[in-house]
Amino acid sequence: MLRVVISVLLLAIVATATGYYQIKQAMVAPLHLPESQLVEVHSGTGFNQLCHQWQQKQWLDSCWRFQVLAKLDPTLTDLKAGLYQLNPGTALAAFRQISQGKEHQFSFTIIEGDNLRQVLSRLQRAPYIEKPLHWGDEFLGKPLDEQLEGRFFPDTYHYHGGDHAVQVLTRAYRKMESELDQAWQQRSSSSPLNSADEALILASIIEKETGVAGERALIASVFVNRLNKGMRLQTDPTVIYGIGPEFDGNITRAHLREKTPYNTYRIDGLPPTPIAMPSKAALVAAVQPQQSDYYYFVAKGDGSHQFSKRLEDHNRAVRQYQLKSRNDS
C-alpha cells in the first residue's frame, strides 16, 4: 500500500513539474515571423481557431501549450477583432496584444498649404480606410467642395484599419474649428477682418505665399495694409485656385486678366473662400500681423521675399529677381 501511495505522489510531482515546464516554455515560445506583419482578426474568431491558423502558417510549433496557458489565464481567450501589427517575439505577447485590443494605428497627414482636392486624393489612397470621400460628397450636411475648403486642420491623424474616411476628416474639421476660434479671440483690435471666416481665407493665402516660416507675419502685414488702403490683393495663388484642376503650372497674362471670383487682380477684397489648409502659424499671422509699411513683395527664388513700400521699388525688385530667375534657368 505504501508503495502505491509513493508511486502516486511521484507521478503527481512529475506531472506538476512537467506542467510547470510546459507552461514556462509556452511563455517564452517564439512567434516565427521573419519581420513585422499585419494580421486581421475577424469578429467571432476563437483562441483555438487563431492558434491553429498560426500553426498552419508555421508561426507556432504547437498549440497545446498555449491551450493549457489559456486555461490558467482566461483573459487570453477574449480576442478583440481588428487589424494588428505583430512583431517577431514571443507568441504570448502576440496573444496578449490581441486580447487587449491593441490594434495597429495608421496615420494620415494633412499638409499645410494643401487644398481640399489634394487632401481627398491622398485620403482615398490611405491604407485600410473604408468608404473614401470624393469631391462633392456630403460631409456633415454640406458638400465637399469650395464651401469646405480650408476647414481641415493640417496635422497627423491616427486611425485603425476599417475606420471610415469621414471619421478622420471630422477630427480635422473639429480641430480647425477650435484653432480658428482661438485665433479669432486673439485678433488685433486694428484688424480689418470682419469675421473668423475672413481670417481663415486670409490665413490660407498667407500659407500659400509663405516659403520661409519667419516671414508669415510680414506677408500678413502686406495683405492687411492693402486691405486697409482698399488696394487689391493681387496674389497669384488665388488666381491658380480659381483655375482649378486644369491649371498646368504656368500662370499667364490671360489668367490674370480673366475675371473669376478668385482672381484678386480683378476683384476687390478677399476671395469667397479659403484656397488651402492654413497652419496655426498662418491663422495667428492673419489676426496678428506684423506692423510694417510694406505694400508689395516678390519672391527672390530661394523661398524668401523682397518687401517694398513703394511701387517703383517693387518694380525694380521684380525686374531684378525675375531677370535673375530667367538667367539661372
Side-chain angles (χ1 to χ4, degrees), residues 115-117 120 134-139 142-152 241 262 273-274 277:
N115 61 41
L116 182 55
R117 290 184 187 275
L120 292 178
H134 301 82
W135 184 264
D137 286 351
E138 185 175 304
F139 175 82
K142 298 178 181 178
L144 273 169
D145 56 18
E146 291 89 352
Q147 294 185 62
L148 292 175
E149 184 63 80
R151 296 188 178 275
F152 302 94
Y241 185 84
Y262 291 90
T273 72
M277 310 299 167

Side-chain angles (χ1 to χ4, degrees), residues 14-65:
V14 170
T16 301
T18 302
Y20 174 76
Y21 174 78
Q22 296 299 338
I23 291 171
K24 188 175 179 180
Q25 289 296 104
M27 294 178 70
V28 298
L31 186 67
H32 299 299
L33 291 177
E35 58 186 14
S36 297
Q37 186 161 336
L38 285 173
V39 173
E40 184 173 7
V41 177
H42 298 283
S43 178
T45 300
F47 180 84
N48 290 342
Q49 180 185 358
L50 183 64
C51 192
H52 286 301
Q53 287 175 2
W54 291 2
Q55 187 177 5
Q56 289 173 1
K57 293 180 179 180
Q58 298 183 338
W59 294 356
L60 294 176
D61 295 328
S62 68
C63 278
W64 72 271
R65 290 174 179 170

Side-chain angles (χ1 to χ4, degrees), residues 102-145:
K102 294 181 178 179
E103 294 183 65
H104 179 64
Q105 284 194 329
F106 298 90
S107 62
F108 176 74
T109 300
I110 297 178
I111 302 170
E112 55 196 40
D114 273 3
N115 61 41
L116 182 55
R117 290 184 187 275
Q118 291 170 314
V119 171
L120 292 178
S121 176
R122 285 191 295 103
L123 189 58
Q124 288 157 15
R125 300 194 302 273
Y128 294 98
I129 280 189
E130 298 293 329
K131 298 185 178 179
L133 292 166
H134 301 82
W135 184 264
D137 286 351
E138 185 175 304
F139 175 82
L140 300 182
K142 298 178 181 178
L144 273 169
D145 56 18

Side-chain angles (χ1 to χ4, degrees), residues 230-249:
M231 299 172 64
R232 289 176 175 170
L233 296 185
Q234 296 184 320
T235 170
D236 290 356
T238 63
V239 180
I240 292 169
Y241 185 84
I243 297 170
E246 295 77 25
F247 181 64
D248 63 2

Side-chain angles (χ1 to χ4, degrees), residues 163-197:
D163 285 354
H164 294 177
V166 69
Q167 294 174 274
V168 178
L169 278 191
T170 298
R171 294 203 299 274
Y173 181 84
R174 298 302 183 202
K175 184 158 190 191
M176 180 59 86
E177 282 188 321
S178 175
E179 295 289 349
L180 178 58
D181 180 66
Q182 290 181 39
W184 183 243
Q185 298 304 320
Q186 300 169 11
R187 67 189 181 279
S188 168
S189 58
S190 60
S191 173
L193 303 174
N194 297 310
S195 67
D197 284 350

Side-chain angles (χ1 to χ4, degrees), residues 133-301:
L133 292 166
H134 301 82
W135 184 264
D137 286 351
E138 185 175 304
F139 175 82
L140 300 182
K142 298 178 181 178
L144 273 169
D145 56 18
E146 291 89 352
Q147 294 185 62
L148 292 175
E149 184 63 80
R151 296 188 178 275
F152 302 94
F153 191 76
D155 203 348
T156 296
Y157 299 91
H158 298 285
Y159 65 93
H160 293 135
D163 285 354
H164 294 177
V166 69
Q167 294 174 274
V168 178
L169 278 191
T170 298
R171 294 203 299 274
Y173 181 84
R174 298 302 183 202
K175 184 158 190 191
M176 180 59 86
E177 282 188 321
S178 175
E179 295 289 349
L180 178 58
D181 180 66
Q182 290 181 39
W184 183 243
Q185 298 304 320
Q186 300 169 11
R187 67 189 181 279
S188 168
S189 58
S190 60
S191 173
L193 303 174
N194 297 310
S195 67
D197 284 350
E198 288 191 357
L200 185 63
I201 294 170
L202 181 57
S204 72
I205 298 172
I206 294 167
E207 192 67 70
K208 292 300 291 184
E209 286 283 17
T210 300
V212 175
E215 289 187 350
R216 278 194 182 94
L218 198 54
I219 288 173
S221 76
V222 171
F223 290 130
V224 167
N225 288 342
R226 294 177 77 93
L227 288 172
N228 280 328
K229 199 168 183 179
M231 299 172 64
R232 289 176 175 170
L233 296 185
Q234 296 184 320
T235 170
D236 290 356
T238 63
V239 180
I240 292 169
Y241 185 84
I243 297 170
E246 295 77 25
F247 181 64
D248 63 2
N250 181 34
I251 191 167
T252 65
R253 290 184 179 179
H255 290 142
L256 299 181
R257 288 194 298 267
E258 183 181 2
K259 189 164 187 179
T260 74
Y262 291 90
N263 186 350
T264 51
Y265 287 85
R266 298 295 311 276
I267 65 168
D268 298 328
L270 296 164
T273 72
I275 60 172
M277 310 299 167
S279 62
K280 182 173 183 176
L283 292 172
V284 172
V287 297
Q288 297 179 8
Q290 182 175 330
Q291 296 296 313
S292 82
D293 296 325
Y294 294 128
Y295 288 89
Y296 308 91
F297 61 82
V298 63
K300 295 166 67 174

